[in-house]
């Protein structure tokens, strides 16, 4: 399909409110980093941030910075600096982009927020290996470079069921963080504060789930590409009132769209599920490409990863352990396939795109026969596109476009 024939994509009005919350977040971190009035913890995106917030830390997420390096298309330029330190071009391109940017003294935050010159300095680094080993290696590099303590949680990988033998060991590891965090923060642990933060995270999570599930309507009021932007507060502000307030605003707008039958993509004809990471440096072209084919990519494994339905304020440690281990990325293919089947039904999916991200095997679910097994079970066709989350040298735009156009044509044929 020619690119001149643009199909309208509907803008989300709540974006302005989100930008304000995100701006305040980054300026607060910058001010704490400059003045030291609050301690700063760096945390992996699905790490125990509730505990950190309850103990008075501001929490910064290097993976979010990795994604910003991707969307600003700075990543590809800075990755070689990390390669030169011995970090292979084949490992996580969040890691290589983030460390490369640090080595080169650049950050997209400077361009986005006047007066911010660098990422905030950490007082402690906290990881959870639930998603991959790369996050531990990544934080270990900074720990050495900046002489900052490194603490973390080691999670059992690939379980089919998250059983009662797994959960206590994770809960214990999170609890054992309390003592060193008390020393670093100078604050005493307070169970009531933790319960409050977990309750806020739970509320944020429930609202985010409702936001994403509006896409089950036909036409869908939002796209996966919208979701990758609007998940920002669920990632960096969960556990705060601001995240809850924001998702109430967004949900209201999307529910109104559903009532008015307003689709995110004009004349939605094909409903697509995206599995794997977004290509951060190509969000807009990909969004336009699908919209011009009247295909709405409306649901994804990725955006759903910040739904933590297990948080229970009455049992914070155990429920945090459960929430952070029940995640899709942690689980076996058997569990993942059951999950995808539910998603296909819920969102009335016509086709699946698997993004095989070269530097993130952990989020690339096409490599061990899953597309074929799922197609056999559901009859829903799929397409694998090769690419990467951040390293644009690993992407062929022409190939991607040709393959996606052919796939949508196939879906059209299937409907006849
Ligand atoms: S899950 Fe993938 S993208 Fe995320 S930190 Fe790990 S390797 Fe990087």
């Amino acid at each position: 399909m020619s690119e001149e024939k643009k199909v309208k994509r509907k803008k989300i009005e709540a974006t302005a409110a989100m930008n304000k919350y995100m701006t305040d977040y980054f300026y607060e971190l910058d001010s704490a980093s400059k003045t030291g009035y609050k301690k700063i913890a760096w945390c992996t995106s699905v790490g125990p941030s509730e505990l950190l917030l309850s103990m008075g830390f501001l929490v910064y997420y290097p993976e979010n910075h990795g994604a910003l390096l991707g969307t600003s298309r700075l990543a590809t330029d800075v990755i070689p600096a990390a390669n030169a330190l011995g970090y292979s071009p084949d490992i996580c391109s969040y890691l290589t982009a983030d460390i490369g940017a640090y080595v080169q003294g650049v950050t997209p935050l400077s361009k986005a927020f006047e007066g911010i010159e660098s990422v905030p300095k950490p007082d402690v680094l906290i990881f959870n290996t639930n998603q991959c080993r790369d996050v531990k290696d990544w934080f270990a590099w900074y720990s050495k470079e900046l002489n900052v303590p490194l603490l973390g949680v080691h999670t059992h990988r690939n379980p089919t069921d998250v059983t009662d033998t797994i959960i206590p060991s994770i809960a214990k590891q999170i609890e054992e963080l309390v003592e060193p965090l008390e020393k670093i923060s100078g604050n005493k642990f307070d169970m009531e504060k933790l319960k409050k933060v977990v309750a806020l995270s739970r509320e944020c999570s429930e609202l985010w789930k409702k936001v994403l599930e509006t896409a089950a309507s036909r036409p869908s009021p939002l796209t996966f590409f919208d979701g990758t932007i609007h998940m920002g507060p669920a990632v960096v502000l969960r556990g705060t009132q601001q995240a809850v307030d924001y998702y109430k605003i967004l949900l209201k707008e999307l529910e109104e769209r559903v009532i008015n039958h307003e689709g995110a993509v004009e004349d939605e004809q094909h409903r697509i599920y995206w599995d794997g990471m977004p290509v951060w440096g190509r969000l807009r072209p990909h969004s336009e490409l699908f919209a011009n084919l009247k295909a709405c990519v409306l649901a994804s494994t990725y955006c759903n990863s910040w739904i933590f339905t297990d948080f229970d304020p009455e049992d914070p440690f155990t429920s945090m352990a459960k929430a952070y281990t029940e995640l899709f990325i942690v689980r076996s293919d058997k569990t993942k396939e059951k999950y995808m089947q539910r998603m296909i039904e819920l969102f009335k999916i016509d086709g699946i795109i698997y993004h095989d991200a070269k530097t993130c095997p952990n989020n690339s679910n096409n490599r061990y026969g899953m597309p074929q097994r799922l197609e056999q079970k559901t009859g829903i066709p799929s397409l694998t596109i090769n690419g990467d989350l951040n390293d644009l040298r690993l992407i062929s735009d022409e190939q991607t476009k040709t393959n996606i156009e052919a796939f949508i044509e196939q879906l059209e044929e299937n409907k006849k």
Side-chain angles (χ1 to χ4, degrees):
M1 179 168 288
S2 83
E3 291 206 326
E4 299 86 61
K5 217 171 134 194
K6 295 269 184 214
V7 165
K8 273 193 222 135
R9 295 168 304 141
K10 206 166 159 57
K11 290 214 169 73
I12 294 182
E13 304 294 332
T15 307
M18 181 188 67
N19 289 345
K20 167 87 174 69
Y21 286 121
M22 296 297 277
T23 301
D24 290 349
Y25 164 74
F26 282 112
Y27 275 119
E28 189 181 16
L29 276 167
D30 188 56
S31 153
S33 180
K34 282 173 177 155
T35 63
Y37 87 97
K38 259 190 161 186
K39 300 279 182 187
I40 296 173
W42 285 15
C43 185
T44 52
S45 64
V46 277
S49 45
E50 290 70 22
L51 178 63
L52 297 164
L53 288 169
S54 80
M55 295 187 73
F57 287 96
L58 293 179
V59 185
Y60 167 79
Y61 298 87
E63 282 153 80
N64 175 251
H65 190 243
L68 291 174
L69 283 158
T71 49
S72 61
R73 288 176 291 282
L74 259 175
T76 308
D77 296 338
V78 294
I79 285 171
N83 301 151
L85 296 173
Y87 291 93
S88 161
D90 290 338
I91 65 162
C92 174
S93 58
Y94 273 171
L95 180 163
T96 49
D98 184 66
I99 292 181
Y102 173 86
V103 171
Q104 299 207 340
V106 293
T107 169
L109 295 178
S110 302
K111 206 168 168 202
F113 307 107
E114 202 185 335
I116 297 186
E117 283 141 24
S118 65
V119 300
K121 289 190 287 299
D123 295 288
V124 64
L125 305 153
I126 307 276
F127 63 84
N128 187 337
T129 60
N130 48 2
Q131 57 193 97
C132 62
R133 66 161 278 178
D134 300 57
V135 287
K136 184 178 173 184
D137 288 84
W138 182 355
F139 281 26
W141 185 84
Y142 279 111
S143 175
K144 201 161 169 236
E145 170 73 17
L146 302 171
N147 194 23
V148 171
L150 174 70
L151 305 168
V153 177
H154 293 89
T155 294
H156 312 245
R157 298 266 306 153
N158 306 118
T160 294
D161 299 311
V162 177
T163 63
D164 289 346
T165 49
I166 294 176
I167 295 304
S169 87
I170 312 277
K172 190 162 178 282
Q173 290 184 65
I174 300 175
E175 244 178 300
E176 282 172 357
L177 298 172
V178 168
E179 201 188 318
L181 289 176
E182 282 184 332
K183 285 195 187 118
I184 296 163
S185 66
N187 294 329
K188 217 61 213 120
F189 170 70
D190 179 337
M191 184 55 109
E192 290 313 305
K193 279 190 186 159
L194 178 60
K195 286 181 175 180
K196 269 193 200 142
V197 178
V198 170
L200 284 168
S201 267
R202 168 82 191 246
E203 205 179 342
C204 165
S205 203
E206 278 167 4
L207 285 162
W208 178 233
K209 183 170 187 277
K210 283 186 186 164
V211 162
L212 293 176
E213 287 184 356
T214 59
S217 304
R218 198 188 285 270
S220 167
L222 92 159
T223 69
F224 159 66
F225 306 103
D226 298 326
T228 60
I229 302 300
H230 289 268
M231 69 186 221
V235 179
V236 305
L237 289 172
R238 70 175 183 275
T240 70
Q241 187 62 44
Q242 290 92 319
V244 170
D245 293 345
Y246 176 63
Y247 287 118
K248 283 183 181 163
I249 298 171
L250 179 60
L251 183 60
K252 188 167 174 281
E253 181 178 343
L254 296 174
E255 284 178 342
E256 277 166 15
R257 280 192 186 182
V258 171
I259 291 168
N260 299 328
H261 302 286
E262 287 177 278
V265 166
E266 198 184 354
D267 192 20
E268 169 195 298
Q269 296 293 319
H270 309 287
R271 297 171 64 85
I272 310 291
Y273 187 90
W274 183 286
D275 184 76
M277 303 287 291
V279 183
W280 288 113
R282 291 290 183 266
L283 285 185
R284 192 189 171 114
H286 283 177
S287 169
E288 288 176 353
L289 171 63
F290 283 101
N292 289 342
L293 295 163
K294 300 190 177 179
C296 186
V297 185
L298 51 89
S300 69
T301 313
Y302 187 66
C303 292
N304 284 0
S305 299
W306 280 267
I307 297 173
F308 306 105
T309 42
D310 288 301
F311 283 140
D312 176 3
E314 289 315 308
D315 192 2
F317 286 108
T318 304
S319 70
M320 278 164 66
K322 206 157 182 273
Y324 289 129
T325 312
E326 291 261 351
L327 284 178
F328 183 92
I329 195 169
V330 184
R331 314 295 289 282
S332 69
D333 273 14
K334 192 174 166 197
T335 308
K336 287 179 179 174
E337 282 167 37
K338 275 195 195 148
Y339 175 90
M340 297 263 293
Q341 272 180 275
R342 284 203 305 276
M343 293 299 109
I344 289 168
E345 274 173 40
L346 174 65
F347 291 102
K348 304 175 257 316
I349 295 299
D350 301 314
I352 304 173
I353 303 283
Y354 291 89
H355 173 204
D356 188 336
K358 168 83 171 156
T359 71
C360 180
N362 311 285
N363 269 316
S364 301
N365 294 301
N366 60 301
R367 298 185 184 182
Y368 295 89
M370 189 191 286
Q372 290 73 10
R373 285 193 298 273
L374 262 182
E375 185 164 348
Q376 248 178 17
K377 280 185 201 150
T378 64
I380 301 296
S382 68
L383 168 74
T384 291
I385 55 167
N386 294 99
D388 192 53
L389 49 138
N390 261 1
D391 191 339
L392 298 179
R393 294 168 300 181
L394 302 170
I395 292 162
S396 163
D397 289 320
E398 265 316 299
Q399 193 66 53
T400 304
K401 185 168 177 283
T402 308
N403 290 349
I404 288 173
E405 284 174 351
F407 182 61
I408 301 298
E409 244 179 70
Q410 181 199 337
L411 295 185
E412 255 160 31
E413 284 301 311
N414 293 352
K415 281 192 173 172
K416 284 179 188 163

